[in-house]
């Protein structure tokens, strides 16, 4: 069930977007998957606009998001990529995206595409299956491993990042979710990932800290705890990611 402020923001966003005659608007991530925490979770959206999305359309989208950001407190957490029907089937194509309070270009990943097929929430238009082909298990697994190997593993070596709550939370949860996807070919929620992390070797005190920050109301961490939490997290994630990647690459060579 969507909370009141979130529902108001989604209604406002769709109303503003109608000026561009969208083909569809879908939600994925925790908003669609049932683990959404208002004020903490991102609002992960995909809009489909008719080809072509030209410079004038992009400028209009930027104005739209800036108005939302000024008027709606939750709009800072609203992320939306803008696909077009002619290229929607290509997982390598980069699309104009509003995320982290600014425009960028990025692809709609195999994980997002699988989420849309598995539990995507239709806010406007037809279902994702009308435009997006299914994601084969091998494509999904290959992407998950590449993300762990090429993004998360180098990030573990950047010690300064890991005193921040968001890196500890996303790094550990993403690893747990990747582990399940590689093992079972399925996607799990952040809540399920937290339940699995101790069994994967994650420090229990770090998992408890993440859980309290996602579902409770703790204050900011002390500097001492932030440093210790960073060391514990990096000591876990480095070897864990290396082992996951080795296991996958060894299996695919057989």
């Amino acid at each position: 069930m969507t909370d009141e402020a979130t529902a108001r923001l989604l209604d406002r966003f769709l109303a503003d977007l109608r000026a561009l005659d969208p083909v569809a608007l879908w939600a994925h991530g925790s908003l669609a998957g049932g683990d959404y925490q208002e004020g903490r979770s991102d609002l992960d959206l995909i809009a489909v606009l008719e080809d072509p999305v030209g410079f004038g359309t992009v400028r209009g989208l930027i104005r739209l998001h800036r108005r939302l950001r000024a008027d709606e407190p939750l709009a800072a957490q609203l992320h939306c990529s803008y696909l077009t029907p002619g290229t929607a089937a290509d997982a390598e194509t980069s699309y104009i995206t509003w995320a982290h309070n600014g425009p960028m270009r990025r692809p709609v990943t195999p994980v997002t595409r699988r989420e849309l097929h598995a539990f995507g929430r239709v806010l406007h238009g037809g279902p994702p299956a009308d435009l997006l082909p299914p994601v084969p298990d091998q494509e999904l697994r290959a992407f998950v491993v590449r993300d762990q190997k090429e993004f998360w593993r180098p990030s573990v070596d950047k010690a300064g990042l890991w005193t921040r709550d968001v890196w500890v939370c996303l790094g550990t949860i993403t690893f747990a979710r990747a582990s399940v996807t590689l093992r079972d070919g399925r996607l799990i929620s952040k809540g399920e990932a937290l339940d699995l992390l101790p069994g994967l070797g994650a420090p229990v005190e770090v998992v408890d800290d993440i859980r309290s920050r996602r579902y409770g109301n703790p204050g900011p961490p002390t500097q001492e705890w932030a440093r210790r939490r960073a060391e514990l997290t990096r000591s876990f994630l480095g070897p864990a990611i290396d082992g996951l990647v080795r296991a996958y690459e060894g299996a695919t060579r057989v």
Side-chain angles (χ1 to χ4, degrees), residues 17-28:
L17 195 61
R18 286 187 189 279
L20 298 173
D21 195 20
V23 175
L25 179 64
W26 308 315
H28 62 103

Side-chain angles (χ1 to χ4, degrees), residues 167-196:
W167 280 88
V168 174
C169 176
L170 287 180
T172 52
I173 285 176
T174 301
F175 171 77
R177 298 171 94 176
S179 298
V180 172
T181 298
L182 291 177
R183 185 188 69 204
D184 301 336
R186 65 187 180 93
L187 304 177
I188 62 171
S189 70
K190 291 179 178 178
E192 291 175 282
L194 283 169
D195 291 339
L196 293 173

Side-chain angles (χ1 to χ4, degrees), residues 7-8 28-29 31 37 55 57 68 127 136 155 157 182 216 242 245:
R8 184 176 64 248
H28 62 103
L31 183 64
Q37 304 294 307
F55 185 64
T57 300
L68 277 182
S155 296
D157 294 331
L182 291 177
D242 290 341
V245 171

Side-chain angles (χ1 to χ4, degrees), residues 78-135:
L78 189 153
H79 301 167
C80 188
S81 291
Y82 293 90
L83 280 71
T84 57
T87 60
D90 184 3
E92 300 298 321
T93 299
S94 290
Y95 298 95
I96 184 68
T97 297
W98 183 272
H100 308 295
N101 294 316
M104 61 184 72
R105 296 192 70 88
R106 66 185 186 189
V108 177
T109 70
V111 168
T112 295
R113 290 165 181 267
R114 176 65 69 89
E115 287 182 354
L116 287 166
H117 275 280
F119 51 80
R121 177 175 166 185
V122 177
L123 303 175
H124 171 74
D130 286 354
L131 288 172
L132 303 179
V135 180

Side-chain angles (χ1 to χ4, degrees), residues 147-158 161-162 241:
D147 184 55
Q148 289 288 302
K149 181 179 181 179
E150 297 180 3
F151 177 78
W152 285 107
R153 186 60 183 90
S155 296
V156 170
D157 294 331
K158 299 174 183 177
L161 298 174
W162 297 89
I241 292 172

Side-chain angles (χ1 to χ4, degrees), residues 210-238:
I210 297 168
R211 191 185 302 278
S212 71
R213 293 182 188 285
R214 181 164 177 78
Y215 300 109
N217 293 288
T222 65
Q223 288 187 352
E224 180 182 0
W225 169 236
R227 286 193 296 268
R228 173 168 164 70
R229 185 183 62 180
E231 292 170 1
L232 289 169
T233 303
R234 294 175 63 229
S235 295
F236 160 64
L237 277 180

